[in-house]
Amino acid sequence: MSTVSAIRATRDSHGIVTLTIDDPNQRVNTMNSLFVESLADELDAIENSEDVTGVIITSGKPTFFAGGDLNDLRAASRDRLDEFAAFVRRNSALLRRLEKLPVPVVAAINGSALGGGLELALAAHHRVVIDAPNVRLGLPEVTLGLLPGAGGVVRSVRMLGVRTALQEVLLTGKKHTVADALELGIVDATVATANELVAAATAWIRENAGARQPWDTAGFRIPGGAPGDRGAPLNASLPALAASLRAQTKGAPYPARENILAAAVEGAQVDIDNALTIEARYFLDLATGQIAKNMIQANFFDLQTVKGPRGRKGSQEVWSPQKAVVLGAGMMGAGIAYQCAVSGIEVVLKDVTTEAAERGKSYAQRVLGKQVKSGKITEKFRDEVLARILPTADIADVAGADLVIEAVFEDPSLKADVLREVEPLLAPGALIGSNTSTLPITGLAGNVTDPERFIGLHFFSPVDRMPLLEIIKGEQTSEETLFRALDLARAIAKTPIVVNDSRGFFTSRVIGTFVNEALAMLGEGVPAPVIEQAATQAGYPAPVLQLADELNLELLRRVRNASRDAAQAAGRTWVAHPAEAVLDRMLSEFGRAGRLAGAGFYEYGENGARQRLWPGLSEAFGSPRAELPFTDVKERLLFVEAIESVKCLDEGVLESVPDANIGSLLGIGYPGWTGGVLQYIDGYAGGAAGFVRRAEQFAAAYGDRFAPPASLVAIAGQGGTVAGATHEPELALS
């Protein structure tokens, strides 16, 4: 038996053994090698004992079990496939031993059980969980490019049926509340407090001495039937489910969903032990592939970094805004006001007229009304949120606010006017933020008396659904102001990235290269449908010309003109991008400014509904250029954003790789399978060196904008990675 164990075993007077998982080396329990060795030792002891009457599995930590150790998964490779496969098989076999014990096994779940944690619980014969609001249960592996590899697919299918398991648990990766998990059937009972867990588990064991898994009982049938069963309702729905899955991925490389579907369907047609073997093979295929590594890096490690302390000392007090003022009740201002109010902050929503401010508040009414209708919130909660929003045109209502977020039109003089008007009425030391997407923060800070308290707070539309907040430091922004902005992000449930001041900052600057590249290809004669399909199959959430219409071509031209004027004023030579000619012709020659104007790259109906690509595009921008390989069209979009992000890192606009990756994923729709805009470089075939070689090919064929920056060439020459070339803090699993 190991000298150090992740499990403490105790036995009561009735012969019931309680296994308390409490890894001494980690803040949370994970399915690492220590856990596997410890569980093997405890199972040996239980199997060799004649007087054990039951087993309770619980946790000595605030959470039940956090799942697989992502450091181990990140290190898995095809070069060491046999070694990793042996670990996976042993892990799965241990849970199989657990559920085949000749005594009842109960999972007493004292906190969240996600991924491997729920897989462990599913191997028990009964699951009782504490009914606490922060507890979540689910199998979110698909969000990391994986599938549950410790029996999660096999057992959820046998417990819920193929279709329900796929649609409610496996393909969505949803983290269920206790109530939802109970209704779904992945837990069996709840208790009010942690102190009641063991007692409830003990009572169940004493009443169910002969308990065993349903699938180990003769005559067991999967709910709804297995594929191939005569008359099973599942058979008619499987083709539709597969088609729906293809429609969701739209050709983008998300192999986890395909592997989950295959493992569920194939595993349902054989006995459980063969099903576990099938599941393990599909898991190994994903775990040793690059896409899972990309997604693990971004969705766990990078996300932890951007949500972390960022150098803040533990002694520094967390700031909580009490009264916020949102200046401007347009679409962005209305969304910001809603987000603050729903987070418990009193909000003054100010506009030029009371009518305009009321229209802004009506946005919150619509969003909350939909949530009431769907049962997500109560009418009481809706009314409480709405009561926190005061729509007004009276400047006196601003008095005493400790937070102001300016969200007026992108006009420096207008922003200056509203900030000067409101500042004298604010509470001493109030945080002053501007929701600008492109205008330099340092310049805007000149409009307030204390630039140290001024910071950029770039929200994304629609605010209630977009999770990112880009925080922009001006030249004089203080450290205290930055930490307050980070506190605000947490208070209103936004994921923050922090960048330094520059025109367009990070997100707007990089997404501009994405749109420009599409316009450049259109000008080269690449058919518009090909460009849109390439963006879709690359994994972007919206086709790029459709995005351009939503952004509005007039706005794009204003941003271009402002950038050109600023460059020339600074004495730099402005080099026209090939996209500029397309943009100018769309506006000046064809009068097509985008969706708001009712005509852009697409045609729109009277109600603004998108109908089809404008047929005139082929005649307006057709050219004799040879047809581009479709892979080139896809990769040009991905590469141009990645290269611009390296430039942002070089220039100090970005301070960290995680900020780039998370900002690109959550803010500008960079494809999730890449792991983010800089992880895409490190994860490219051949790593950074392979990316540089491909970029040089693009530069020779399509223009110098694809030339890899010298810093990236140096990293590639050393066989390094972009992430490895910058300091990133160590991360603990949670």
Side-chain angles (χ1 to χ4, degrees):
M1 182 175 288
S2 303
T3 56
V4 177
S5 179
I7 300 175
R8 297 192 307 272
T10 58
R11 182 183 306 197
D12 70 9
S13 59
H14 302 289
I16 297 174
V17 173
T18 297
L19 302 179
T20 303
I21 310 167
D22 196 0
D23 191 322
N25 303 318
Q26 298 190 131
R27 292 187 297 108
V28 294
N29 298 314
T30 64
M31 208 168 279
N32 56 15
S33 57
L34 177 61
F35 168 77
V36 170
E37 294 294 338
S38 302
L39 181 59
D41 290 343
E42 298 302 337
L43 289 175
D44 287 343
I46 291 168
E47 289 169 343
N48 291 324
S49 175
E50 296 182 356
D51 56 355
V52 173
T53 60
V55 175
I56 299 171
I57 301 173
T58 191
S59 169
K61 299 187 184 296
T63 57
F64 176 69
F65 202 95
D69 189 317
L70 294 181
N71 284 302
D72 292 343
L73 290 169
R74 189 168 55 167
S77 69
R78 293 199 163 105
D79 294 338
R80 301 169 56 195
L81 180 61
D82 290 346
E83 176 186 341
F84 187 62
F87 176 79
V88 171
R89 285 195 296 269
R90 186 183 184 197
N91 198 5
S92 182
L94 281 173
L95 297 192
R96 185 72 177 127
R97 280 177 65 189
L98 178 69
E99 71 179 351
K100 291 179 72 176
L101 289 174
V103 296
V105 179
V106 177
I109 305 170
N110 62 302
S112 291
L114 297 168
L118 183 58
E119 289 185 285
L120 173 62
L122 292 180
H125 305 134
H126 185 74
R127 285 154 295 282
V128 56
V129 60
I130 181 172
D131 189 3
N134 61 332
V135 172
R136 294 292 182 271
L137 305 103
L139 298 172
E141 282 86 348
V142 68
T143 65
L144 299 175
L146 296 168
L147 59 77
V153 174
V154 172
R155 292 187 177 90
S156 64
V157 163
R158 279 161 172 73
M159 184 177 293
L160 307 175
V162 177
R163 183 166 54 190
T164 300
L166 286 169
Q167 293 179 334
E168 300 296 330
V169 179
L170 297 168
L171 293 177
T172 64
K174 183 178 178 181
K175 299 176 182 180
H176 298 272
T177 63
V178 172
D180 288 343
L182 185 64
E183 181 180 2
L184 184 60
I186 55 177
V187 297
D188 302 301
T190 66
V191 294
T193 67
N195 293 335
E196 300 173 69
L197 276 171
V198 171
T202 300
W204 191 88
I205 287 172
R206 298 185 68 182
E207 294 172 4
N208 294 273
R212 58 190 309 193
Q213 296 287 35
W215 41 88
D216 286 325
T217 303
F220 170 76
R221 292 184 75 250
I222 291 174
D229 287 356
R230 180 174 297 179
L234 172 68
N235 294 327
S237 64
L238 271 179
L241 185 60
S244 174
L245 185 60
R246 284 194 296 272
Q248 290 172 25
T249 57
K250 299 178 181 177
Y254 288 102
R257 296 181 181 186
E258 297 175 3
N259 282 23
I260 287 171
L261 179 61
V265 172
E266 293 173 24
Q269 299 177 75
V270 296
D271 64 87
I272 186 169
D273 292 306
N274 279 310
L276 290 169
T277 299
I278 291 169
E279 177 190 273
R281 288 174 179 169
Y282 279 114
F283 172 79
L284 289 167
D285 175 62
L286 296 171
T288 57
Q290 185 59 48
I291 289 175
K293 297 187 190 325
N294 291 344
M295 296 178 74
I296 289 170
Q297 179 62 44
N299 296 333
F300 183 80
F301 291 99
D302 288 349
L303 195 60
Q304 276 209 332
T305 296
V306 301
K307 289 183 174 181
R310 292 182 177 267
R312 181 179 190 156
K313 297 180 178 64
S315 59
Q316 290 178 289
E317 187 177 348
V318 174
W319 178 69
S320 299
Q322 302 301 308
K323 179 180 178 180
V325 174
V326 178
L327 302 175
M331 181 172 65
M332 290 301 296
I336 295 168
Y338 163 80
Q339 194 66 38
C340 289
V342 82
S343 304
I345 302 170
E346 299 291 331
V347 183
V348 176
L349 181 57
K350 185 185 180 302
D351 211 303
V352 176
T353 67
T354 303
E355 290 75 18
E358 290 281 5
R359 284 196 298 272
K361 182 174 180 176
S362 69
Y363 178 82
Q365 292 172 322
R366 290 194 299 273
V367 173
L368 293 165
K370 291 177 182 177
Q371 293 176 358
V372 169
K373 190 173 182 179
S374 66
K376 292 181 179 179
I377 63 171
T378 63
E379 292 183 356
K380 181 177 181 291
F381 181 78
R382 175 201 62 196
D383 295 342
E384 289 172 350
V385 173
L386 291 174
R388 294 190 194 111
I389 303 175
L390 172 64
T392 186
D394 188 350
I395 189 65
D397 290 326
V398 169
D402 55 356
L403 167 66
V404 60
I405 303 174
E406 168 271 303
V408 300
F409 187 69
E410 289 284 272
D411 181 336
S413 61
L414 177 59
K415 290 179 182 290
D417 289 343
V418 298
L419 288 170
R420 290 193 189 105
E421 180 186 31
V422 74
E423 187 183 12
L425 299 173
L426 300 176
L431 178 67
I432 304 175
S434 175
N435 175 57
T436 177
S437 58
T438 59
L439 298 175
I441 290 301
T442 301
L444 294 176
N447 300 312
V448 300
T449 57
D450 185 1
E452 290 189 355
R453 292 190 286 120
F454 191 83
I455 199 163
L457 300 172
H458 179 201
F459 291 83
F460 295 78
S461 184
V463 177
D464 58 293
R465 295 204 299 272
M466 294 293 283
L468 190 72
L469 176 61
E470 184 178 28
I471 298 174
I472 308 104
K473 297 184 291 183
E475 290 179 5
Q476 295 177 273
T477 301
S478 70
E479 184 180 77
E480 180 184 0
T481 296
L482 171 61
F483 288 143
R484 282 188 169 196
L486 289 167
D487 288 340
L488 172 65
R490 297 183 187 98
I492 62 175
K494 295 299 178 188
T495 300
I497 64 168
V498 178
V499 303
N500 286 307
D501 197 14
S502 173
R503 184 168 293 274
F505 321 126
F506 166 61
T507 55
S508 296
R509 173 174 165 178
V510 170
I511 201 171
T513 65
F514 172 61
V515 174
N516 278 344
E517 197 57 35
L519 270 59
M521 286 191 283
L522 188 66
E524 293 169 15
V526 180
V530 172
I531 296 170
E532 299 295 74
Q533 188 61 31
T536 298
Q537 290 194 20
Y540 287 97
V544 60
L545 298 179
Q546 177 183 316
L547 174 64
D549 270 4
E550 297 290 340
L551 292 173
N552 189 279
L553 275 60
E554 287 282 9
L555 174 61
L556 297 178
R557 184 161 68 174
R558 281 199 300 272
V559 171
R560 184 274 312 269
N561 291 346
S563 299
R564 180 189 61 202
D565 294 346
Q568 292 173 344
R572 298 192 301 271
T573 300
W574 178 260
V575 179
H577 192 286
E580 293 184 36
V582 175
L583 182 62
D584 290 337
R585 288 188 67 201
M586 285 292 290
L587 290 167
S588 301
E589 186 175 340
F590 306 119
R592 304 184 69 88
R595 186 170 187 172
L596 283 176
F601 292 109
Y602 283 78
E603 293 183 330
Y604 299 90
E606 291 183 2
N607 61 352
R610 188 182 310 105
Q611 295 180 332
R612 60 174 180 171
L613 280 160
W614 176 41
L617 288 173
S618 57
E619 181 179 346
F621 300 108
S623 80
R625 183 195 243 292
E627 184 176 338
L628 267 64
F630 189 65
T631 299
D632 282 17
V633 181
K634 286 194 297 185
E635 289 198 337
R636 281 175 66 174
L637 297 171
L638 293 162
F639 266 64
V640 74
E641 292 194 277
I643 289 168
E644 192 68 20
S645 297
V646 174
K647 294 177 182 177
C648 287
L649 201 61
D650 290 345
E651 296 168 18
V653 176
L654 285 166
E655 294 182 344
S656 79
V657 170
D659 281 320
N661 288 334
I662 297 302
S664 65
L665 293 172
L666 300 187
I668 59 176
Y670 203 71
W673 63 268
T674 66
V677 74
L678 294 179
Q679 177 61 28
Y680 176 66
I681 296 174
D682 290 343
Y684 194 76
F691 182 94
V692 165
R693 286 192 295 271
R694 183 66 163 151
E696 289 170 341
Q697 294 173 2
F698 282 163
Y702 306 118
D704 290 343
R705 62 188 176 278
F706 287 102
S711 63
L712 186 57
V713 173
I715 290 169
Q718 296 164 5
T721 63
V722 179
T726 59
H727 172 71
E728 296 176 26
E730 293 184 5
L731 297 167
L733 290 167
S734 67

